[in-house]
Amino acid sequence: MSQKSIYILGIESSCDDTSASVIHNGKVLSNVVANQEIHAKYGGVVPELASRAHQQNIVPVVQQALEQANIDKSQLNAIAFTRGPGLMGSLLVGTSFAKSLALGLNIPLIDVNHMQAHILAHFIEEEDAKKPPFPFVCLTISGGHTQIVKVSDYFEMEILGETIDDAVGEAYDKSAKILGLPYPGGPLIDKYAQEGNPKAFKFTKPKVGDLDFSFSGLKTGILYFIQKQVKENPNFIEENLVDICASIQYTIVEILMDKLKNAVKQTDIKHIAIAGGVSANSEIRKRLALAEKHWNWTTYVPKFEYTTDNAAMIAITGYLKHLQNKHSDIAITAQARLKVTE
Ligand code: KG4
Ligand code: ZN
């Protein structure tokens, strides 16, 4: 790493969180996230409302990130922003803001791939965090993606497998909706699951390729099961909530661990990282700790605040790109669809 003093401002606005972060030589000085409460009552993210909220939030969020970092914008060396993937209207707010600020300050602009950033959050400089050595395998699990990626270098990634339909975060959120829980339901299922019996109800695991995922069948299975039970007992959900949540969580985490086992077998790589919003999940964290003990894996779990969408992961990716002089042209545009390899 460079000995020079480098400040990077990261901006994230791909979905429903507006976030800004300042990092100094890879260390996080601030990581401000403004959640958009407005979507909860609609049971999911409403794109038009998300982009409007980003417009309201972006200036105060960036200001707060600079204040907390205790630096002036004139000290920034570059601006990193999420180019994609994500919701176009949301991405446009961050992209336009980042471009204007970089132009105004006459400093480099750096485009960041959101999916790469989830993975590269592992390279944030932290006192007690261990960084994965190359090559490692990363299971990226979020509301929009579910992938197993082989990471050979910071910007050398290969998708080994991915979901053919829903993402795992979607499976969590849609199951939660079926149970009448508010959006995003993933953290709530996780919370209730911890008090329930994971073997109380059995859901069928999907049959897909060794390293691929499918969650839409599981979601339908859960829906039919709940509909049938509620017909017989209208209070079924309330009476069994913790057991239902524990059983859903058990099935999902079993699927994730099965795929990771397959990936280790195929690649012979035992350095395993997880990334993305669902990597906040308590059960996957427990299971990875067990895998360290029993299967000799070395596992890398991001700090809680770097799991769900945040700008620190954008800033660290921007920093790593800056060190390699990977700057963007000011004419760059947002991309709603972008592979982790692009
Ligand atoms: O990475 P992220 O913030 O946004 C995307 O890029 O998609 O991931 C959000 C997803 C949501 O589906 C949310 O329900 C899920 O992560 N999530 C969790 C937990 N915390 C967040 N799912 C299960 N257990 C959790 N503890
Ligand atoms: Zn994300």
Side-chain angles (χ1 to χ4, degrees), residues 6-228:
I6 297 172
Y7 289 98
I8 307 281
L9 171 70
I11 294 172
E12 155 65 28
S13 74
S14 66
C15 191
D16 59 337
D17 295 319
T18 318
S19 181
S21 162
V22 176
I23 67 167
H24 178 240
N25 289 2
K27 267 204 174 118
V28 176
L29 301 185
S30 63
N31 185 27
V32 179
V33 184
N35 302 115
Q36 301 182 0
E37 306 295 339
I38 182 96
H39 307 287
K41 68 176 177 197
Y42 297 97
V45 177
V46 184
E48 177 56 29
L49 296 179
S51 55
R52 265 192 251 170
H54 282 305
Q55 281 177 344
Q56 286 168 351
N57 292 342
I58 192 129
V59 172
V61 164
V62 168
Q63 246 160 8
Q64 215 180 321
L66 289 168
E67 271 164 32
Q68 276 182 20
N70 204 15
I71 66 156
D72 185 79
K73 57 184 182 311
S74 61
Q75 291 172 267
L76 293 172
N77 295 84
I79 314 274
F81 70 99
T82 306
R83 182 188 187 203
L87 300 169
M88 187 44 103
S90 293
L91 291 167
L92 280 174
V93 179
T95 305
S96 332
F97 186 89
K99 278 189 186 185
S100 328
L101 195 56
L103 263 182
L105 295 172
N106 197 21
I107 54 175
L109 178 71
I110 303 169
D111 68 292
V112 170
N113 178 318
H114 181 93
M115 299 311 297
Q116 287 182 1
H118 270 301
I119 297 173
L120 296 175
H122 283 283
F123 295 95
I124 290 172
E125 299 286 343
E126 290 275 339
E127 293 278 308
D128 44 3
K130 55 182 191 268
K131 293 182 194 148
F134 300 117
F136 66 94
V137 166
C138 187
L139 173 69
T140 310
I141 37 183
S142 73
H145 296 84
T146 303
Q147 292 181 332
I148 296 182
V149 180
K150 179 178 167 186
V151 186
S152 301
D153 206 333
Y154 295 125
F155 302 104
E156 210 184 308
M157 304 189 185
E158 184 193 344
I159 300 173
L160 302 180
E162 61 190 328
T163 182
I164 57 166
D165 42 54
D166 291 352
V168 60
E170 261 177 293
Y172 264 106
D173 296 338
K174 287 178 179 171
S175 304
K177 202 171 175 181
I178 295 168
L179 299 175
L181 300 173
Y183 176 87
L188 288 172
I189 292 196
D190 188 10
K191 187 176 137 207
Y192 295 127
Q194 292 174 42
E195 291 158 41
N197 171 9
K199 304 274 176 69
F201 307 107
K202 199 167 161 41
F203 300 109
T204 317
K205 289 199 264 177
K207 289 186 184 63
V208 276
D210 279 357
L211 301 181
D212 288 329
F213 301 85
S214 164
F215 289 102
S216 76
L218 177 65
K219 174 195 65 193
T220 314
I222 293 169
L223 177 67
Y224 289 167
F225 169 76
I226 296 291
Q227 282 176 341
K228 185 167 166 269

